[in-house]
Amino acid sequence: MFSRALIAVLSFALTACIASPEPFKPTDIARIGISATSDTSWVATYVLPEPANEIVFVRQPDASRVKDWKGGPGYEIVQIDGIERIRRVDGRPFNEAVVYLPPLYRDLPKDYAPFSPFGDGGVLAYTGRFFACPAQCPDGATWQILLDAPGRTILADGKRFGGRATWADSGDGQNAYVGEATPVETPDFLAVIDTALPETIRAQLSQQLPQFMHLFAERIGDLPARPMLFASYDLSHANGFGRQGGTLPGQVLVHFYGSAWPERMAAPGFTDELAWHFAHEAAHLYQRQLFTDTGQGAWIHEGGAEAMAAIALSLNGRGEAVQGHATALAEKGRKTLGARSIHSALAESDFDIAYACGLQVNLALDAALRTSAPGTDGLFTVWQRYIAIAGNRTQSAAAFFAPST
């Protein structure tokens, strides 16, 4: 274990490295140096283009950053009006700040976990957790990231690095892997599957992931870059049990945490459940993470991903499992929806409706199109057009039904 004094020395060396004489670009908010030299405490160093009184974090799902992160000498992390920020204790302006943080998993409400530990010693870090600005972040803001992990492999920005990586980050951020695992590389994807996972689960993922990727690429179109897939498994997690999945641009993640998973993974039907989960998340990749401009349209992307997963598993010989899952979701949707419309339920933040009822609507749309327009590819043809209309922008739900031109 590294002492706090040694971490401070490492932090100083890292700061010297990132505080290069190269000028900041107009969109650069800060240079963030992340030192992953300890298994129990990482160091983040912020270097600003000009002095500021505080640095305000972009993502605020809860107050856990105040609990977990500690300011370096003379600095503190505080929450004011629900917003977490870094300040000097004496209130003076600064252009450089150091913070210490443990690489621990946290189940954050409606956000990505800051870290997802692997049972084989690796860890996935979500860069969006580090994003911060001296004031409100402008559109198109970028952060220059330097991640230092001597002797370990780094996967970030779609590339593989040895010990040190630098890149420009923006938007929602990404997951960066630090560890000693050998990635699985194919022309379709780059994956890190935790070697601590049971062998049957590892084998299933290794077999099915390429199939899902091939299917969606053929039906919707190739992604602009080779996607990255991560599956992590942390039995040592003491506070709770669960699974968190997510999709970021070019990345799919599933994290299993808690000691109850071995029994759960051995249960009948789990392999089909896991296959559905990964097919759903892979579908989001090929949807280009396109969302509607209001939450009432969530049935389009979530229900669409559910329907694409159903189609993928049916073509994979799992039609019976698909039927059982769809029937269970339909029953759940009827009970939850009651006399409301889907839009009304989503407006009331009953988000499960996006999955339960969205699946039924999208499968019905797929079947209707295949009957009325035999030359099309059903739901996949709709998504090809929807993506072409939207580009990289949020789009209205009405555009989903726009006729072909």
Side-chain angles (χ1 to χ4, degrees):
M1 182 180 296
F2 287 79
S3 68
R4 194 176 182 89
L6 179 53
I7 292 175
V9 171
L10 291 168
S11 173
F12 177 81
L14 184 59
T15 302
C17 177
I18 68 171
S20 68
E22 297 179 7
F24 282 86
K25 299 181 180 67
T27 56
D28 285 351
I29 296 302
R31 294 194 178 106
I32 307 175
I34 305 170
S35 176
T37 53
S38 166
D39 292 335
T40 57
S41 182
W42 286 24
V43 183
T45 304
Y46 290 82
V47 178
L48 305 177
E50 56 187 34
N53 292 320
E54 63 181 9
I55 307 177
V56 179
F57 288 101
V58 174
R59 305 178 80 96
Q60 309 283 338
D62 65 0
S64 62
R65 194 185 280 108
V66 172
K67 300 175 184 177
D68 293 344
W69 292 34
K70 307 298 179 185
Y75 290 84
E76 62 182 355
I77 297 176
V78 297
Q79 186 182 62
I80 300 174
D81 297 330
I83 305 297
E84 295 170 310
R85 54 198 85 202
I86 304 172
R87 289 180 168 181
R88 279 183 62 111
V89 175
D90 61 13
R92 295 173 58 190
F94 60 92
N95 61 5
E96 183 178 314
V98 175
V99 295
Y100 308 95
L101 56 147
L104 299 176
Y105 175 79
R106 273 201 179 269
D107 185 9
L108 300 179
K110 298 182 181 180
D111 206 353
Y112 302 96
F115 294 95
S116 299
F118 283 60
D120 60 13
V123 66
L124 208 60
Y126 172 50
T127 62
R129 185 70 169 167
F130 293 87
F131 291 174
C133 298
Q136 184 174 355
C137 291
D139 293 339
T142 61
W143 292 263
Q144 298 298 322
I145 308 291
L146 187 153
L147 176 55
D148 191 38
R152 286 181 283 179
T153 295
I154 298 173
L155 298 177
D157 204 34
K159 305 179 187 68
R160 182 177 179 179
F161 303 88
R164 169 173 288 198
T166 60
W167 70 92
D169 219 327
S170 61
D172 288 330
Q174 61 182 278
N175 283 302
Y177 171 80
V178 174
E180 298 179 3
T182 300
V184 177
E185 296 191 57
T186 78
D188 300 293
F189 65 87
L190 180 67
V192 179
I193 302 174
D194 199 333
T195 57
L197 277 164
E199 181 55 35
T200 55
I201 302 301
R202 287 176 51 79
Q204 177 189 348
L205 293 175
S206 298
Q207 177 187 32
Q208 290 179 336
L209 288 175
Q211 295 171 346
F212 297 148
M213 293 299 186
H214 280 308
L215 172 65
F216 295 143
E218 288 174 357
R219 302 300 179 89
I220 304 178
D222 290 328
L223 296 172
R226 185 172 59 166
M228 304 175 75
L229 304 151
F230 303 101
S232 51
Y233 183 60
D234 183 18
L235 291 180
S236 66
H237 184 81
N239 300 317
F241 156 80
R243 176 180 67 193
Q244 181 178 26
T247 306
L248 285 161
Q251 297 184 327
V252 169
L253 159 73
V254 61
H255 178 63
F256 302 94
Y257 59 93
S259 60
W261 274 113
E263 181 179 357
R264 175 71 179 275
M265 288 181 172
F270 178 77
T271 55
D272 289 326
E273 176 189 333
L274 183 61
W276 188 291
H277 172 86
F278 261 104
H280 175 106
E281 296 298 343
H284 279 319
L285 276 184
Y286 286 89
Q287 289 175 341
R288 308 308 196 268
Q289 287 196 288
L290 179 60
F291 301 101
T292 53
D293 52 4
T294 70
Q296 294 180 39
W299 66 270
I300 292 176
H301 58 268
E302 294 297 356
E306 286 285 89
M308 291 178 196
I311 295 169
L313 266 68
S314 294
L315 294 175
N316 195 246
R318 286 175 161 77
E320 185 176 340
V322 168
Q323 185 59 45
H325 185 74
T327 300
L329 275 181
E331 180 61 23
K332 178 181 179 180
R334 281 192 292 270
K335 291 180 179 178
T336 304
L337 195 60
R340 297 175 297 174
S341 68
I342 293 177
H343 286 170
S344 296
L346 290 172
E348 295 169 13
S349 299
D350 209 336
F351 202 68
D352 284 348
I353 288 297
Y355 300 84
C357 294
L359 169 63
Q360 315 305 319
V361 174
N362 278 277
L363 285 179
L365 175 61
D366 180 74
L369 286 173
R370 292 180 189 279
T371 299
S372 63
T376 67
D377 197 10
L379 182 63
F380 295 109
T381 298
V382 175
W383 270 95
Q384 288 177 8
R385 178 180 43 75
Y386 192 44
I387 291 167
I389 292 172
N392 294 322
R393 303 182 306 277
T394 299
Q395 190 54 262
S396 69
F400 185 69
F401 295 102
S404 300
T405 55

